[in-house]
């Protein structure tokens, strides 16, 4: 089973309520028993929201950003680093100050961290950012988005493609595919638009994250805060859902590790 690892702790009564009211149509398999381990994300009690997830080797990373009106004044978005097996926190670093909503993260073939903010995507030297605790000298590329909202980002190591997902609560979700090599070959602060995409795809509603597995299958995380959460495998040509699994409410970004385990988090807990 590909499902495992990171489920963030939620209050017992909330978790019991979720198991009662999750009711998704179609060929849905309940995957709560497949959750192998969990640990709480940092910043929840300090007014932060967690969303982006990435895995590099034996490191699990997640992004937190300050929630307006709740986080301390001057708080910035951060990336937390944990050991994949022990879950112990091993480091953290501040993201660039202009990143206000790190909704998606992934790792490219060079081991660099790709981050999707609402209006831009970033390529970051992960090793340097962890070592220095910030990204002042670690940003390898930044591209503003025109006509696309960067809700989440995925990277396909087999084809060197980036998928930028644009979330929309009312009209559905769009996915735009880009040649990663070409995108980051452009000068820094290049403006990226849908016209430069090598392909696009209409996705199901409420997609919060995306990731390719080792076999080249594209998986999506779908949820809203209170009533449902699921991961689904889709046909990359048509966007049709091929397989679905119920998971926690408030499900956000997803990423596969080297053992084929799927990591995710919930902003609800």
């Amino acid at each position: 089973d590909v499902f495992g690892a990171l489920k963030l702790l939620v209050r017992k009564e909330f978790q019991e309520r979720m198991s009662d009211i999750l009711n998704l149509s179609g060929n849905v398999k309940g995957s709560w028993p497949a959750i192998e381990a969990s640990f709480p994300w940092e910043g929840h009690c300090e007014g932060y929201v967690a969303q982006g997830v990435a895995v590099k080797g034996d490191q699990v990373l997640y992004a937190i950003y300050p929630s307006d009106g709740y986080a301390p004044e001057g708080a910035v978005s951060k990336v937390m680093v944990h050991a994949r097996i022990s879950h112990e926190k091993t480091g953290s670093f501040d993201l660039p100050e202009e990143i206000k909503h790190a909704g998606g993260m992934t790792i490219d073939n060079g081991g660099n961290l790709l981050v999707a903010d609402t209006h831009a995507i970033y390529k970051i030297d992960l090793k340097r950012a962890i070592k220095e605790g910030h990204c002042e000298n670690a940003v390898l590329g930044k591209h503003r988005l025109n006509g696309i909202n960067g809700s989440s980002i995925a990277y396909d190591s087999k084809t060197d493609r980036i998928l930028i997902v644009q979330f929309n609560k009312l009209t559905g979700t769009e996915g735009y595919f880009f040649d990663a090599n070409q995108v980051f070959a452009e000068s820094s602060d290049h403006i990226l638009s849908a016209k430069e995409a090598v392909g696009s795809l209409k996705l199901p509603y409420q997609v919060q994250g995306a990731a390719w597995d080792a076999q080249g299958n594209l998986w999506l995380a779908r949820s809203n805060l209170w009533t449902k959460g699921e991961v689904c495998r889709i046909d990359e040509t048509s966007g049709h859902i091929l397989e679905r699994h119920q998971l926690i409410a408030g499900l956000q970004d997803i990423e596969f590790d080297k053992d084929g385990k799927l990591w995710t988090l919930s902003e609800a807990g």
Side-chain angles (χ1 to χ4, degrees):
D1 198 319
V2 298
F3 303 102
L6 175 60
K7 177 182 76 66
L8 304 180
L9 297 179
V10 295
R11 293 184 299 275
K12 182 179 179 182
E13 64 270 24
F14 181 76
Q15 185 171 337
E16 291 172 347
R17 176 167 170 74
M18 285 300 100
S19 65
D20 290 334
I21 65 177
L22 280 173
N23 183 19
L24 303 171
S25 60
N27 182 23
V28 182
K29 303 174 184 177
S31 296
W32 285 79
I35 297 173
E36 295 181 354
S38 66
F39 62 88
W41 51 265
E42 280 197 23
H44 181 256
C45 295
E46 290 77 41
Y48 281 88
V49 177
Q51 287 206 325
V53 173
V55 183
K56 181 185 178 184
D58 286 323
Q59 294 176 314
V60 176
L61 306 97
Y62 60 91
I64 60 174
Y65 66 88
S67 179
D68 290 342
Y70 293 94
E73 186 176 349
V76 298
S77 299
K78 300 174 180 288
V79 172
M80 302 297 176
V81 186
H82 288 251
R84 185 173 66 96
I85 303 301
S86 69
H87 307 158
E88 180 183 358
K89 183 182 174 184
T90 59
S92 67
F93 59 89
D94 293 348
L95 286 167
E97 189 175 345
E98 66 267 23
I99 293 182
K100 304 300 183 184
H101 189 279
M105 301 196 303
T106 190
I107 305 292
D108 70 10
N109 276 339
N112 301 299
L113 180 67
L114 306 182
V115 179
D117 191 21
T118 306
H119 303 298
I121 59 172
Y122 295 76
K123 182 177 182 178
I124 294 171
D125 182 331
L126 180 59
K127 186 176 180 180
R128 184 164 190 172
I130 293 173
K131 180 181 179 180
E132 297 181 355
H134 55 76
C135 293
E136 288 180 15
N137 303 303
V139 176
L140 302 175
K142 171 192 172 183
H143 298 296
R144 288 175 290 161
L145 300 175
N146 180 25
I148 304 172
N149 287 332
S151 303
S152 60
I153 190 169
Y155 177 76
D156 183 6
S157 61
K158 292 182 178 294
T159 62
D160 198 30
R161 287 181 303 160
I162 292 171
L163 171 64
I164 298 177
V165 175
Q166 176 172 277
F167 172 84
N168 190 303
K169 293 180 179 179
L170 301 177
T171 62
T173 309
E174 298 284 347
Y176 298 94
F177 298 94
F178 294 90
D179 183 315
N181 220 19
Q182 182 177 352
V183 166
F184 287 106
E186 299 283 354
S187 60
S188 187
D189 213 19
H190 170 72
I191 298 176
L192 198 63
S193 70
K195 293 179 180 179
E196 297 174 74
V198 296
S200 62
L201 186 63
K202 188 74 173 178
L203 298 174
Y205 285 85
Q206 297 182 320
V207 173
Q208 304 282 3
W212 277 278
D213 65 19
Q215 291 71 45
N217 299 305
L218 181 58
W219 292 80
L220 305 176
R222 303 175 64 211
S223 76
N224 57 37
L225 190 57
W226 302 113
T227 61
K228 66 178 181 179
E230 71 172 20
V231 288
C232 53
R233 179 171 61 88
I234 69 165
D235 183 316
E236 198 175 307
T237 303
S238 66
H240 292 160
I241 295 175
L242 303 175
E243 182 180 352
R244 310 168 74 165
H245 299 263
Q246 286 185 3
L247 275 177
I248 49 181
L251 198 67
Q252 296 297 315
D253 202 11
I254 55 174
E255 185 90 309
F256 288 92
D257 69 14
K258 60 185 180 180
D259 295 329
K261 300 294 185 180
L262 183 67
W263 291 74
T264 188
L265 55 76
S266 169
E267 69 173 1

